Amino acid sequence: MSYRNIFVVGMDAYNRQRLEHLRGAENYRFHGVIEPAEVYDTEIFPIEDMLARAETQLKEFSEPIDAIVGYMDFPVSTMLPILCERLGTRSTSLESLLKCEHKYWSRLVQKDVIADYIPRFTAFDPFDPQALQHIGEAGLYMPFFVKPIKSSGSRLGFRIESPEDFAYAVARLRESIGTISEPFNYVLEHANLPDAVRSVDGGHCMAEEIIGGWQCTVEGYVFQEEVASYGIVDSIRYPQVLSFFCYRYPSRLPTAIQTKMQALTRQVMSHIGYDNAAFNIEYFWDEVQDRIWLLEINTRIAQSHCDLFEKVDGISHQQVTVDLALGQLPDMPYRQGAFKVAAEFFYRVFFTDATVSQVPSCEEIEALQQAFPGTLITLKVEVGMRLSSLPEQDSYSYALAYVWMGADDDSALKENYERLAEQLHFAFEDITG
């Protein structure tokens, strides 16, 4: 029997196990390309070097390469179209991907077809001393939100209420934006960009009108130019702050709102020309104004949602990524999982900084996972770690642990997490903020 060889960028042991449980996986062989440490929990992204090494490894492989896939944001998502083009495997085009990932270009193409569903926006250079004035000249006034043209997660995103807020945000952006702008600019050099976009490179930022409401993520894909969505996940924040409390699946949004979001998704993804790849789109539903806002488009499945789909539908939605890369219509089950509802919870502290002096032991974690069947706990810190050294954090808190849980209803899910959280014992010293 001949196996199909699938290379996974940054594959770790945990995700290998998930991939090997996909439908049809008995006919696949999964191979890693680029070490996980180079793309996980790091802020150093030598894309040119990684691409060169990956290409060398792949070309030295003695058997046919049937697919090259990834399930992570930057830098993996932006590397895939380049790698796939060099090796002759399936992927959406680099230009269609950048119409999603380059936040300014993405807003321009969204404005073409769904202008009523996006906020007012403008690009600015954080190194321009007149940046705040130029934002005002573009018709944006405080409060507004700023973020890099290309970012990862909620990193370097700031709500601006005053000139002092803007000065603080710009100082942080000037200090850190280069870690992403330099590798992202390398990717941009490989694309055919319109002039209006080429002049706004990875060192620029976006200012956008404040939008909000009930946040969710539409998970979808495009197969042979047909746009499909297969699940909506709610993103629930802590009260009064931007930090996420949990992701919950399936969504509890009204059916009519979900249907409208799916229609908007088909409209914008068709316009972009994205094809034969997975994506997800984050939306807000402003319940007061009964208005839908498109927040951003991501060119991958949400890795955080893999366990949620497995718990509720029966399999990780990595199924979608692999099937598309092999040229197959995705074979996702529906509501065949062990739970009716699932969530990923973020156990956070809201310090400015601190040093970790105690974390739950392996035995304590294992006992909690046994006490709440189906639960998975991943610690993100260790004793002696300075919280400010944690990568990929938002600007307001630190996530100490991720907790995936399933239940038969929402109330049981929340109650179980609260009981578990009380038994996660962390301690800190040198606390600031």
Side-chain angles (χ1 to χ4, degrees):
M1 177 182 178
S2 62
Y3 292 90
R4 307 191 79 179
N5 293 299
I6 300 168
F7 280 81
V8 185
V9 179
M11 179 172 63
D12 58 9
Y14 174 70
N15 279 289
R16 176 184 285 277
Q17 185 178 30
R18 280 205 188 286
L19 290 164
E20 289 175 346
H21 284 88
L22 298 182
R23 292 180 168 187
E26 66 275 9
N27 302 318
Y28 306 153
R29 281 183 175 160
F30 293 101
H31 311 269
V33 58
I34 302 179
E35 288 300 311
E38 295 190 69
V39 290
Y40 274 110
D41 296 332
T42 179
E43 295 180 359
I44 306 301
F45 306 116
I47 280 187
E48 183 174 4
D49 176 61
M50 287 194 288
L51 281 169
R53 286 187 285 112
E55 185 177 0
T56 298
Q57 177 188 340
L58 291 162
K59 286 184 174 177
E60 289 175 350
F61 189 66
S62 60
E63 299 175 30
I65 297 173
D66 297 286
I68 306 170
V69 302
Y71 39 75
M72 286 177 283
D73 196 0
F74 190 83
V76 173
S77 57
T78 46
M79 292 167 61
L80 280 171
I82 299 173
L83 263 185
C84 289
E85 182 179 26
R86 291 178 181 178
L87 276 297
T89 60
R90 296 172 189 83
S91 171
T92 194
S93 69
L94 179 59
E95 285 76 15
S96 67
L97 179 137
L98 290 172
K99 287 179 186 178
C100 304
E101 293 216 5
H102 186 298
K103 294 187 186 302
Y104 183 63
W105 195 4
S106 190
R107 285 300 192 207
L108 291 177
V109 295
Q110 293 164 32
K111 189 176 181 180
D112 289 341
V113 289
I114 57 167
D116 291 341
Y117 300 91
I118 64 172
R120 288 175 294 157
F121 65 94
T122 190
F124 70 94
D125 180 352
F127 294 91
D128 177 4
Q130 303 300 315
L132 185 57
Q133 177 182 330
H134 294 156
I135 291 170
E137 290 168 353
L140 270 177
Y141 306 100
M142 290 178 277
F144 54 79
F145 197 78
V146 300
K147 55 189 173 183
I149 286 293
K150 177 61 200 157
S151 62
S152 182
S154 300
R155 185 172 171 270
L156 295 178
F158 302 91
R159 183 184 174 101
I160 307 302
E161 301 272 0
S162 67
E164 291 76 18
D165 287 346
F166 188 76
Y168 171 78
V170 162
R172 291 280 305 277
L173 288 160
R174 289 175 177 175
E175 177 184 345
S176 302
I177 198 170
T179 59
I180 286 187
S181 67
E182 292 178 14
F184 189 57
N185 284 343
Y186 175 79
V187 173
L188 294 180
E189 290 171 5
H190 290 73
N192 182 19
L193 306 175
D195 291 341
V197 174
R198 186 169 295 281
S199 62
V200 182
D201 68 8
H204 285 71
C205 295
M206 291 284 284
E208 294 192 343
E209 176 185 5
I210 297 291
I211 57 175
W214 185 329
Q215 187 172 353
C216 69
T217 302
V218 175
E219 293 279 359
Y221 61 85
V222 188
F223 177 67
Q224 297 180 359
E225 300 183 358
E226 290 293 324
V227 182
S229 57
Y230 55 87
I232 300 180
V233 178
D234 290 332
S235 301
I236 301 169
R237 297 180 185 269
Y238 282 84
Q240 309 303 317
V241 293
L242 291 171
S243 303
F244 287 114
F245 171 62
C246 74
Y247 300 143
R248 178 185 62 197
Y249 179 65
S251 174
R252 295 295 181 258
L253 279 164
T255 301
I257 299 301
Q258 295 191 43
T259 300
K260 180 61 177 178
M261 288 178 176
Q262 290 166 333
L264 292 170
T265 296
R266 288 192 296 272
Q267 196 171 356
V268 73
M269 296 310 291
S270 294
H271 177 67
I272 284 170
Y274 195 82
D275 200 12
N276 298 315
F279 67 86
N280 67 72
I281 303 184
E282 298 174 54
Y283 289 98
F284 284 116
W285 174 46
D286 184 328
E287 297 175 70
V288 176
Q289 299 184 60
D290 191 21
R291 184 168 185 179
I292 293 171
W293 298 101
L294 191 155
L295 176 58
E296 66 181 17
I297 306 171
N298 301 301
T299 56
R300 53 175 171 77
I301 63 166
Q303 190 182 175
S304 287
H305 299 164
C306 288
D307 190 75
L308 309 186
F309 280 95
E310 187 169 306
K311 281 180 165 52
V312 175
D313 289 336
I315 208 138
S316 165
H317 63 326
Q318 288 169 325
Q319 185 79 47
V320 172
T321 297
V322 170
D323 283 343
L324 290 168
L326 291 171
Q328 302 166 177
L329 180 68
D331 183 23
M332 275 295 291
Y334 182 76
R335 304 299 187 260
Q336 295 179 24
F339 302 95
K340 289 186 171 63
V341 61
E344 177 190 8
F345 294 95
F346 300 92
Y347 185 97
R348 297 183 182 274
V349 291
F350 294 85
F351 306 146
T352 299
D353 205 358
T355 300
V356 180
S357 58
Q358 178 187 331
V359 301
S361 67
C362 293
E363 293 76 16
E364 289 171 326
I365 294 297
E366 182 60 31
L368 285 171
Q369 291 180 159
Q370 293 295 326
F372 298 93
T375 294
L376 177 67
I377 303 169
T378 301
L379 299 185
K380 307 304 291 183
V381 297
E382 56 189 31
V383 172
M385 179 181 286
R386 195 71 179 161
L387 292 180
S388 55
S389 70
L390 276 170
E392 300 296 329
Q393 301 296 305
D394 64 38
S395 301
Y396 304 94
S397 67
Y398 297 100
L400 307 182
Y402 300 162
V403 181
W404 289 268
M405 304 184 79
D408 287 334
D409 57 56
D410 292 346
S411 60
L413 185 67
K414 186 171 183 290
E415 289 169 10
N416 288 346
Y417 173 69
E418 289 172 349
R419 286 168 51 209
L420 180 147
E422 290 174 354
Q423 300 173 70
L424 283 176
H425 301 304
F426 294 87
F428 307 90
E429 54 192 24
D430 304 323
I431 296 173
T432 58

